[in-house]
Amino acid sequence: ELSRARIQCVNRVHRLLSELVPGQGKKNITTAQAKTILASVRPRDAAGKIRRRLAAEQITELVAIEKKTKALTKELKEMVLATGSRLMELPGVGPVVAARTLADTGDVARFADRNRYASWTGIAPIEASSGEVVRHRLSRAGNRRMNHVLHIAAIVQIRHDTEGRAYYQRKLAAGKTPMEALRCLKRRL
Protein backbone atom coordinates (compact mmCIF):
# COMPACT_ATOMS: atom_id res chain seq x y z
CA GLU A 1 0.00 0.00 0.00
CA LEU A 2 2.87 2.36 0.73
CA SER A 3 4.36 1.61 -2.67
CA ARG A 4 1.04 2.42 -4.30
CA ALA A 5 0.76 5.64 -2.27
CA ARG A 6 4.31 6.59 -3.25
CA ILE A 7 3.57 6.07 -6.95
CA GLN A 8 0.43 8.18 -6.69
CA CYS A 9 2.33 10.93 -4.88
CA VAL A 10 5.16 10.88 -7.46
CA ASN A 11 2.58 11.14 -10.23
CA ARG A 12 0.96 14.16 -8.57
CA VAL A 13 4.36 15.85 -8.09
CA HIS A 14 5.23 15.13 -11.73
CA ARG A 15 1.95 16.62 -12.95
CA LEU A 16 2.31 19.75 -10.81
CA LEU A 17 5.94 20.28 -11.82
CA SER A 18 5.04 19.75 -15.49
CA GLU A 19 2.42 22.48 -15.17
CA LEU A 20 4.81 24.83 -13.37
CA VAL A 21 7.87 24.20 -15.55
CA PRO A 22 6.98 22.47 -18.83
CA GLY A 23 9.64 20.00 -19.94
CA GLN A 24 11.50 19.93 -16.62
CA GLY A 25 9.67 17.17 -14.74
CA LYS A 26 11.00 13.68 -15.39
CA LYS A 27 8.61 10.78 -14.99
CA ASN A 28 10.77 8.90 -12.43
CA ILE A 29 11.72 11.90 -10.36
CA THR A 30 13.43 11.69 -6.98
CA THR A 31 12.52 13.91 -4.07
CA ALA A 32 15.86 15.74 -4.32
CA GLN A 33 15.30 16.46 -8.02
CA ALA A 34 11.75 17.62 -7.33
CA LYS A 35 12.95 19.95 -4.55
CA THR A 36 15.61 21.42 -6.85
CA ILE A 37 13.11 22.07 -9.64
CA LEU A 38 10.58 23.52 -7.21
CA ALA A 39 13.19 25.84 -5.66
CA SER A 40 13.83 27.39 -9.07
CA VAL A 41 10.14 28.16 -9.66
CA ARG A 42 8.84 31.64 -8.83
CA PRO A 43 5.28 31.88 -10.19
CA ARG A 44 3.68 35.30 -10.48
CA ASP A 45 0.03 34.37 -10.95
CA ALA A 46 -2.31 32.99 -8.28
CA ALA A 47 -2.76 29.62 -10.00
CA GLY A 48 1.01 29.14 -10.22
CA LYS A 49 1.46 29.99 -6.54
CA ILE A 50 -1.19 27.46 -5.56
CA ARG A 51 0.43 24.81 -7.78
CA ARG A 52 3.81 25.52 -6.18
CA ARG A 53 2.33 25.20 -2.68
CA LEU A 54 0.57 21.95 -3.61
CA ALA A 55 3.78 20.58 -5.12
CA ALA A 56 5.68 21.46 -1.93
CA GLU A 57 3.04 19.66 0.16
CA GLN A 58 3.19 16.61 -2.11
CA ILE A 59 6.98 16.51 -1.88
CA THR A 60 6.73 16.65 1.92
CA GLU A 61 4.23 13.78 1.81
CA LEU A 62 6.54 11.86 -0.54
CA VAL A 63 9.45 12.24 1.89
CA ALA A 64 7.28 10.92 4.73
CA ILE A 65 6.12 7.92 2.66
CA GLU A 66 9.69 7.07 1.67
CA LYS A 67 10.80 7.28 5.30
CA LYS A 68 8.00 4.93 6.40
CA THR A 69 8.78 2.54 3.55
CA LYS A 70 12.45 2.40 4.47
CA ALA A 71 11.68 1.72 8.14
CA LEU A 72 9.11 -0.99 7.36
CA THR A 73 11.40 -2.65 4.81
CA LYS A 74 14.14 -2.82 7.43
CA GLU A 75 11.69 -4.35 9.91
CA LEU A 76 10.46 -6.88 7.32
CA LYS A 77 14.05 -7.84 6.50
CA GLU A 78 14.76 -8.58 10.15
CA MET A 79 11.57 -10.64 10.44
CA VAL A 80 12.35 -12.67 7.31
CA LEU A 81 15.91 -13.33 8.48
CA ALA A 82 14.53 -14.42 11.88
CA THR A 83 12.51 -17.16 10.16
CA GLY A 84 15.69 -18.66 8.71
CA SER A 85 14.35 -18.33 5.18
CA ARG A 86 16.82 -18.11 2.30
CA LEU A 87 14.33 -16.51 -0.10
CA MET A 88 16.18 -13.18 -0.14
CA GLU A 89 19.21 -14.94 -1.64
CA LEU A 90 17.27 -15.26 -4.91
CA PRO A 91 17.77 -12.41 -7.36
CA GLY A 92 14.63 -10.27 -7.50
CA VAL A 93 13.44 -11.29 -4.05
CA GLY A 94 13.81 -8.56 -1.46
CA PRO A 95 12.37 -8.25 2.04
CA VAL A 96 8.88 -7.27 0.86
CA VAL A 97 8.58 -10.10 -1.67
CA ALA A 98 10.01 -12.63 0.79
CA ALA A 99 7.69 -11.49 3.59
CA ARG A 100 4.63 -11.64 1.29
CA THR A 101 5.63 -15.14 0.16
CA LEU A 102 6.15 -16.41 3.70
CA ALA A 103 2.98 -14.80 5.02
CA ASP A 104 0.69 -15.98 2.22
CA THR A 105 2.16 -19.45 1.82
CA GLY A 106 2.32 -20.29 5.50
CA ASP A 107 3.33 -23.93 5.91
CA VAL A 108 4.46 -25.17 2.51
CA ALA A 109 3.88 -28.76 3.65
CA ARG A 110 0.15 -28.17 3.23
CA PHE A 111 0.65 -28.54 -0.54
CA ALA A 112 0.91 -32.12 -1.77
CA ASP A 113 3.51 -31.23 -4.41
CA ARG A 114 4.96 -28.38 -6.44
CA ASN A 115 2.12 -28.61 -8.97
CA ARG A 116 -0.47 -27.89 -6.30
CA TYR A 117 1.57 -24.92 -5.12
CA ALA A 118 1.82 -23.64 -8.70
CA SER A 119 -1.94 -23.98 -9.08
CA TRP A 120 -2.51 -22.17 -5.78
CA THR A 121 -0.32 -19.25 -6.89
CA GLY A 122 -2.05 -19.06 -10.26
CA ILE A 123 1.07 -19.75 -12.34
CA ALA A 124 0.02 -23.17 -13.57
CA PRO A 125 -1.21 -22.69 -17.13
CA ILE A 126 -4.60 -23.94 -18.25
CA GLU A 127 -4.85 -25.89 -21.48
CA ALA A 128 -6.81 -23.96 -24.12
CA SER A 129 -6.23 -26.24 -27.10
CA SER A 130 -8.56 -26.48 -30.04
CA GLY A 131 -8.25 -29.17 -32.67
CA GLU A 132 -4.64 -29.70 -33.59
CA VAL A 133 -3.50 -26.39 -32.07
CA VAL A 134 -2.06 -27.08 -28.62
CA ARG A 135 -1.75 -23.99 -26.47
CA HIS A 136 -2.07 -22.86 -22.86
CA ARG A 137 -3.33 -19.69 -21.29
CA LEU A 138 -2.88 -17.87 -18.01
CA SER A 139 -4.95 -19.11 -15.11
CA ARG A 140 -6.98 -16.35 -13.49
CA ALA A 141 -7.51 -18.51 -10.43
CA GLY A 142 -5.20 -18.76 -7.47
CA ASN A 143 -3.67 -16.23 -5.15
CA ARG A 144 -3.21 -13.13 -7.30
CA ARG A 145 -0.88 -11.45 -4.81
CA MET A 146 1.48 -14.43 -4.94
CA ASN A 147 1.27 -14.42 -8.72
CA HIS A 148 2.21 -10.73 -8.69
CA VAL A 149 5.14 -11.36 -6.33
CA LEU A 150 6.45 -14.14 -8.58
CA HIS A 151 5.98 -11.88 -11.60
CA ILE A 152 8.10 -9.16 -9.98
CA ALA A 153 10.87 -11.65 -9.17
CA ALA A 154 10.79 -13.06 -12.71
CA ILE A 155 10.95 -9.63 -14.37
CA VAL A 156 13.90 -8.60 -12.18
CA GLN A 157 15.71 -11.82 -13.08
CA ILE A 158 15.11 -11.24 -16.79
CA ARG A 159 16.42 -7.66 -16.58
CA HIS A 160 19.67 -8.67 -14.86
CA ASP A 161 22.33 -11.21 -15.75
CA THR A 162 21.04 -14.15 -13.68
CA GLU A 163 20.29 -17.84 -14.08
CA GLY A 164 16.66 -16.84 -14.57
CA ARG A 165 17.56 -14.72 -17.59
CA ALA A 166 19.53 -17.60 -19.13
CA TYR A 167 16.56 -19.92 -18.51
CA TYR A 168 14.17 -17.38 -20.09
CA GLN A 169 16.42 -17.03 -23.15
CA ARG A 170 16.65 -20.83 -23.52
CA LYS A 171 12.85 -21.01 -23.52
CA LEU A 172 12.67 -18.28 -26.18
CA ALA A 173 15.25 -20.15 -28.26
CA ALA A 174 13.13 -23.31 -27.91
CA GLY A 175 10.28 -21.52 -29.71
CA LYS A 176 8.20 -20.27 -26.79
CA THR A 177 6.56 -16.86 -26.98
CA PRO A 178 7.81 -14.22 -24.51
CA MET A 179 4.70 -14.71 -22.34
CA GLU A 180 5.10 -18.50 -22.36
CA ALA A 181 8.79 -18.16 -21.46
CA LEU A 182 7.90 -15.77 -18.64
CA ARG A 183 5.26 -18.21 -17.40
CA CYS A 184 7.90 -20.99 -17.43
CA LEU A 185 10.29 -18.83 -15.41
CA LYS A 186 7.59 -17.98 -12.87
CA ARG A 187 6.84 -21.67 -12.54
CA ARG A 188 10.53 -22.42 -12.03
CA LEU A 189 10.81 -19.76 -9.33
Side-chain angles (χ1 to χ4, degrees), residues 8-187:
Q8 290 172 347
C9 195
V10 167
N11 289 342
R12 285 191 295 267
V13 168
H14 177 262
R15 180 183 49 82
L16 289 166
L17 289 178
S18 295
E19 291 171 356
L20 286 168
V21 187
Q24 285 282 326
K26 297 186 333 184
K27 189 157 187 153
N28 297 323
I29 195 165
T30 65
T31 52
Q33 292 169 337
K35 285 179 182 179
T36 303
I37 293 170
L38 192 63
S40 67
V41 175
R42 298 282 180 246
R44 294 193 175 124
D45 61 333
K49 290 178 181 179
I50 291 173
R51 282 189 186 105
R52 187 181 190 290
R53 183 177 50 87
L54 288 172
E57 290 173 4
Q58 289 298 314
I59 291 171
T60 303
E61 185 179 334
L62 183 58
V63 168
I65 290 171
E66 288 176 347
K67 188 176 179 181
K68 282 181 190 176
T69 303
K70 189 175 181 180
L72 287 173
T73 302
K74 183 179 177 185
E75 189 177 334
L76 283 176
K77 184 176 182 179
E78 291 170 1
M79 294 170 93
V80 169
L81 291 174
T83 66
S85 172
R86 294 184 9 218
L87 281 173
M88 289 192 302
E89 294 174 9
L90 291 171
V93 179
V96 175
V97 169
R100 169 61 64 197
T101 302
L102 292 172
D104 281 2
T105 302
D107 184 17
V108 77
R110 69 187 174 122
F111 301 101
D113 59 7
R114 66 188 327 164
N115 297 329
R116 298 282 174 99
Y117 186 72
S119 179
W120 178 76
T121 59
I123 58 172
I126 295 174
E127 188 171 348
S129 302
S130 176
E132 293 181 14
V133 177
V134 178
R135 66 181 190 87
H136 295 83
R137 68 172 179 82
L138 173 68
S139 169
R140 298 279 184 214
N143 186 325
R144 302 314 302 160
R145 290 185 303 198
M146 279 300 301
N147 190 298
H148 179 71
V149 162
L150 288 167
H151 183 80
I152 290 170
I155 294 298
V156 170
Q157 286 200 3
I158 290 170
R159 287 183 180 169
H160 297 90
D161 190 21
T162 63
E163 289 179 30
R165 179 189 220 169
Y167 179 81
Y168 177 78
Q169 289 173 340
R170 280 196 309 270
K171 290 296 179 182
L172 288 175
K176 301 257 188 221
T177 66
M179 285 307 296
E180 290 171 336
L182 179 63
R183 195 176 306 127
C184 289
L185 178 58
K186 287 167 62 173
R187 177 73 181 253

